[in-house]
Amino acid sequence: MPMNELEMFLSAWDREAESTLKLLRALPVTQYDFRPDAGGRSLGELAWHLAEGDAYMSRGIEAGGFAMDAKPPNIERPRTVEALAPGYERIHREAVARIRKLKPEDLDRAVPFFTGQPFPIREILWNMIISHGIHHRGQLTLMCRLAGGHAPGLYGPNREETAAMRAGARA
């Protein structure tokens, strides 16, 4: 049965959220404050930015516009690595509930973004939620490795998973 674009987005977003959770659960628990660049986000801050993206974008769409001073509910950043995945899961669920209120025809509607420039909801969903999240998840994957962790394969096996598959094939 064919899906409309909104259903396709929600399905893709669910898959991406599962990948995000997989990575958040793999972060080294003692490395919350790890920061390879003194001017950049820490591992914990970058991890939470994935939740912030879901929250701020869905809240702005629901409100019909974006404002720098408008904070989504429950957005306070957890202060331990162990709390990041459950916190992300909660924020993501709340964001999905906001987006599920849309109708397929709403995707063409434009809302003023933070700059005041109107953006179609479709672009916010695909670019500011999906692509933006993938971008930061890639950064977090590298940070996980740099902090001594083993980032899981997300779009294919990582080197450890590949080695295990090769070893299994030889056995």
Side-chain angles (χ1 to χ4, degrees):
M1 182 154 122
M3 289 192 270
N4 64 49
E5 186 179 1
L6 184 57
E7 290 168 339
M8 288 190 308
F9 168 78
L10 289 164
S11 178
W13 196 18
D14 281 345
R15 284 189 310 275
E16 294 302 327
E18 285 304 316
S19 291
T20 297
L21 285 165
K22 187 176 178 183
L23 176 58
L24 293 175
R25 291 178 182 126
L27 297 175
V29 296
T30 62
Q31 295 295 325
Y32 186 93
D33 293 316
F34 176 76
R35 188 182 310 264
D37 171 11
R41 291 181 173 113
S42 72
L43 184 128
E45 291 165 343
L46 181 58
W48 192 245
H49 185 60
L50 295 166
E52 290 172 332
D54 284 3
Y56 278 93
M57 294 303 115
S58 63
R59 192 221 136 294
I61 290 170
E62 181 181 55
F66 294 80
M68 294 301 277
D69 60 347
K71 285 183 120 180
N74 306 312
I75 199 62
E76 294 73 32
R77 179 170 39 93
R79 301 299 177 180
T80 66
V81 168
E82 297 91 343
L84 291 167
Y88 171 83
E89 203 164 19
R90 176 181 42 77
I91 292 293
H92 179 71
R93 246 189 339 266
E94 293 168 1
V96 167
R98 287 190 280 273
I99 298 304
R100 283 199 182 282
K101 295 175 187 174
L102 296 174
K103 294 178 177 31
E105 56 271 18
D106 290 327
L107 300 184
D108 292 321
R109 185 167 41 91
V111 295
F113 203 61
F114 291 109
T115 61
Q117 179 183 358
F119 276 90
I121 289 173
R122 167 182 291 107
E123 286 185 34
I124 297 167
L125 295 177
W126 291 108
N127 297 334
M128 307 299 183
I129 292 180
I130 298 284
S131 296
H132 184 250
I134 291 169
H135 160 73
H136 285 303
R137 200 172 57 225
Q139 292 175 321
L140 188 60
T141 297
L142 179 59
M143 282 182 75
C144 178
R145 286 276 185 195
L146 291 172
H150 296 283
L154 300 178
Y155 295 106
N158 67 12
R159 69 175 178 244
E160 293 86 4
E161 294 162 349
T162 299
M165 288 187 312
R166 286 184 178 141
R170 286 191 296 266

